Amino acid sequence: MSNTESDEHLARLLVEGNQVAFEGLFRRHNAAMIRFCTGMVQSRQTAEEVVQDTWVSVLNRIDLFEGRSSLASWIFTILINKARTRAKREGRVVLFDDQGDGDGLADAFDGRGRWRTMPALWDDLTPERHVAGRSILQHVEAVIATLPPAQRAVLILRGQQELDPSEVCALLDISEGNMRVLLHRARVTLRNALDRLNKEA
């Protein structure tokens, strides 16, 4: 079953009110939605409210899903619209278009956007490995929380949600070149944080 067929099947199950299908979708996307939204609004509590509103809209409008994009992309479109509305009400403006020359990125990544050398610490990513009482995953999540909104958005949508580059660009209204720069910058920040962690370990 292709991703498109899988999304359409899942959408049909949601239209039918299938609780198990919704729970699976919720588990897959909710944490990333909150991380994404926290970069756009004033607090995590507000982000959680926006995400909850998004889920309500998803369930109320799932019959409108046409499969032109992935289901994840469709959900994040609703989330972005709701978060922008909330941010505007709070007097905030969030722009994802972060132009830059990307100097210094070529050394860390190859032409396909992959690390030339994976951080050594990632070779032994195990539940047992802790640094200062925090797991690697918790440390990565803490670093993601400090990223500028545009970098965080691209990292979550592209790296964690695995949306196609064209979907990410359409969602955030940015060029593919800009998306690559934002993704590289986010990855460099994460890599540097992991390298520092490795030196301390």
Side-chain angles (χ1 to χ4, degrees):
M1 187 180 286
S2 72
N3 285 343
T4 303
E5 289 170 343
S6 176
D7 280 350
E8 288 172 357
H9 176 68
L10 182 53
R12 281 194 300 276
L13 290 175
L14 294 173
V15 168
E16 294 166 5
N18 187 303
Q19 185 74 23
V20 174
F22 175 72
E23 287 171 1
L25 188 68
F26 182 88
R27 279 194 304 274
R28 190 182 325 155
H29 298 298
N30 194 65
M33 290 167 70
I34 292 171
R35 279 193 298 273
F36 179 93
C37 193
T38 303
M40 297 181 68
V41 295
Q42 287 185 340
S43 68
R44 182 180 172 91
Q45 181 180 346
T46 303
E48 288 173 354
E49 290 171 9
V50 172
V51 169
Q52 185 177 11
D53 288 346
T54 300
W55 283 119
V56 170
S57 290
V58 166
L59 290 176
N60 288 338
R61 298 164 58 188
I62 191 64
D63 57 320
L64 301 176
F65 176 69
E66 298 175 347
R68 286 190 232 159
S69 64
S70 69
L71 186 55
S73 179
W74 185 76
I75 292 169
F76 272 86
T77 298
I78 295 170
L79 175 64
I80 288 169
N81 290 335
K82 288 190 174 295
R84 281 186 168 143
T85 299
R86 185 65 175 261
K88 189 175 179 183
R89 207 179 324 150
E90 294 174 344
R92 292 166 57 94
V93 176
V94 179
L95 300 175
F96 294 115
D97 193 12
D98 179 25
Q99 295 295 337
D101 55 16
D103 283 347
L105 297 175
D107 292 338
F109 299 98
D110 65 18
R112 293 168 297 172
R114 296 191 179 116
W115 274 317
R116 290 185 191 281
T117 309
M118 287 293 283
L121 189 58
W122 283 20
D123 292 338
D124 343 306
L125 249 164
T126 64
E128 294 77 30
R129 178 136 190 196
H130 284 75
V131 178
R134 297 177 68 194
S135 70
I136 300 293
L137 182 58
Q138 288 171 322
H139 186 75
V140 168
E141 287 175 351
V143 174
I144 290 171
T146 67
L147 292 172
Q151 291 180 29
R152 182 189 313 191
V154 170
L155 183 68
I156 290 170
L157 294 175
R158 185 76 184 106
Q160 294 180 337
Q161 295 302 112
E162 298 180 348
L163 296 187
D164 289 335
S166 59
E167 289 183 306
V168 175
C169 293
L171 276 170
L172 303 180
D173 193 24
I174 58 176
S175 70
E176 190 168 339
N178 193 15
M179 184 209 64
R180 283 196 304 269
V181 168
L182 291 168
L183 184 59
H184 284 339
R185 287 179 178 169
R187 286 175 171 170
V188 165
T189 300
L190 283 177
R191 180 184 176 127
N192 289 342
L194 289 171
D195 284 346
R196 282 194 302 275
L197 204 59
N198 191 32
K199 287 174 185 166
E200 293 166 8

